[in-house]
Amino acid sequence: PANAIQPLRLLLIGCPGSGKGTQSSRLEKNFGVAHLSSGDLLRRNITEQTALGQQAQQYVADGKLVPDDLLVSLIDSELLNVGNANWLLDGFPRTISQAEALDATLNKLMQPLNLVINLQVPEDVILQRIMDRWIHIPSGRVYNLSYNPPRVPGLDDVTGEPLSKRPDDTPEVFKVRLDQHHAMATPLLDHYHDVVVNVKGNTSDEIYPQIESEIVNRLGVLPGSMPEAF
Ligand code: ATP
Ligand code: MG
């Protein structure tokens, strides 16, 4: 039946600072999706100075796209790791060539994407957010000094480890990332046009309920009700 429960195979698209990480944490908690964030994976690899991290770090520092082949193999292996679970992609794919590689992998796994969520946040609120943003690199948890501060200043709520500023969260690099996002968003949204939904707002609190109701209405899944695997 059309309203049968479907597994969650989600993609979040939105400009830098639009709240992809924040929405992902909520979806992870409420729907049990595995959160696969290309940016978080790259930052962890850079911190640990893995071979991938060393190849990627200059691109990330400059706000430029890391070459497709590095990203494609990174995400392929993450998708194999999560197996048949429900998952959410954040930050990948970012180019049509990445999207085509992903589609091929998902066809093989028989796990096609079934919802692409396009976060629309006005640009004037985003730069301030980026300036106020601190992250916990190992987990990717995001804090904002104005509206989502850590319980203890400078420390992650869960582990107590120190928070960092992202070196690419400067006004100059932010501008490069924003231009980069605008260049890729339209072709990518076209590529996935039959599964895209737009959600809009000034804050993550305004947007999250819209995402939840799209999941409920389109995929028949209620928060807290998700089976672990399909
Ligand atoms: P935010 O985390 O603020 O929502 P963002 O989209 O700018 O925004 P990340 O997704 O964390 O940030 O990506 C950080 C950097 O990692 C990018 O600027 C780019 O250098 C690299 N990167 C991440 N994903 C990809 C990708 N799919 N293809 C190429 N490079 C990527
Ligand atoms: Mg992010």
Side-chain angles (χ1 to χ4, degrees):
N3 62 353
I5 292 179
Q6 294 185 49
L8 301 181
R9 317 285 195 216
L10 312 176
L11 166 62
L12 272 185
I13 295 182
C15 70
S18 60
K20 297 186 293 284
T22 302
Q23 302 297 355
S24 296
S25 304
R26 293 183 191 186
L27 291 166
E28 199 173 11
K29 179 159 153 258
N30 296 336
F31 289 93
V33 290
H35 175 209
L36 308 181
S37 159
S38 56
D40 291 354
L41 290 164
L42 289 169
R43 279 184 286 280
R44 242 172 277 155
N45 276 276
I46 292 168
T47 301
E48 291 165 14
Q49 284 292 294
T50 63
L52 169 71
Q54 294 182 9
Q55 286 172 278
Q57 71 183 350
Q58 197 57 50
Y59 296 97
V60 174
D62 295 340
K64 304 210 169 107
L65 287 182
V66 173
D68 288 338
D69 54 331
L70 296 181
L71 266 295
V72 169
S73 57
L74 175 68
I75 300 294
D76 272 5
S77 67
E78 291 294 315
L79 282 167
L80 288 178
N81 271 343
V82 300
N84 210 22
N86 299 288
W87 46 253
L88 163 66
L89 290 171
D90 158 5
F92 180 95
R94 255 191 176 69
T95 62
I96 292 297
S97 130
Q98 291 178 12
E100 285 168 353
L102 175 70
D103 293 347
T105 300
L106 295 181
N107 279 341
K108 258 183 248 153
L109 296 173
M110 294 188 294
Q111 302 181 3
L113 268 174
N114 54 16
L115 194 61
V116 174
I117 300 155
N118 181 33
L119 300 180
Q120 300 181 305
V121 181
E123 258 167 47
D124 51 348
V125 303
I126 281 176
L127 184 61
Q128 189 57 47
R129 283 195 194 176
I130 294 276
M131 297 301 115
D132 284 351
R133 172 160 78 177
W134 288 75
I135 61 163
H136 178 242
I137 292 179
S139 66
R141 271 184 289 279
V142 184
Y143 298 88
N144 184 287
L145 296 188
S146 319
Y147 55 88
N148 171 34
R151 280 196 287 269
V152 179
L155 301 181
D156 177 47
D157 286 354
V158 177
T159 62
E161 291 166 353
L163 301 177
S164 326
K165 277 303 281 178
R166 275 173 54 170
D168 59 347
D169 276 352
T170 62
E172 300 73 34
V173 180
F174 180 74
K175 165 109 179 42
V176 178
R177 288 160 55 207
L178 199 59
D179 291 347
Q180 156 54 42
H181 169 79
H182 289 312
M184 71 81 181
T186 307
L188 210 53
L189 291 168
D190 281 350
H191 182 83
Y192 290 119
H193 69 271
D194 50 352
V195 285
V196 170
V197 299
N198 295 309
V199 292
K200 224 178 261 187
N202 282 334
T203 66
S204 294
D205 286 345
E206 261 171 67
I207 291 181
Y208 181 73
Q210 302 172 43
I211 299 179
E212 218 175 73
S213 60
E214 294 290 353
I215 292 175
V216 173
N217 295 334
R218 289 175 184 253
L219 305 177
V221 180
L222 295 171
S225 71
M226 213 48 208
E228 299 214 329
F230 274 77

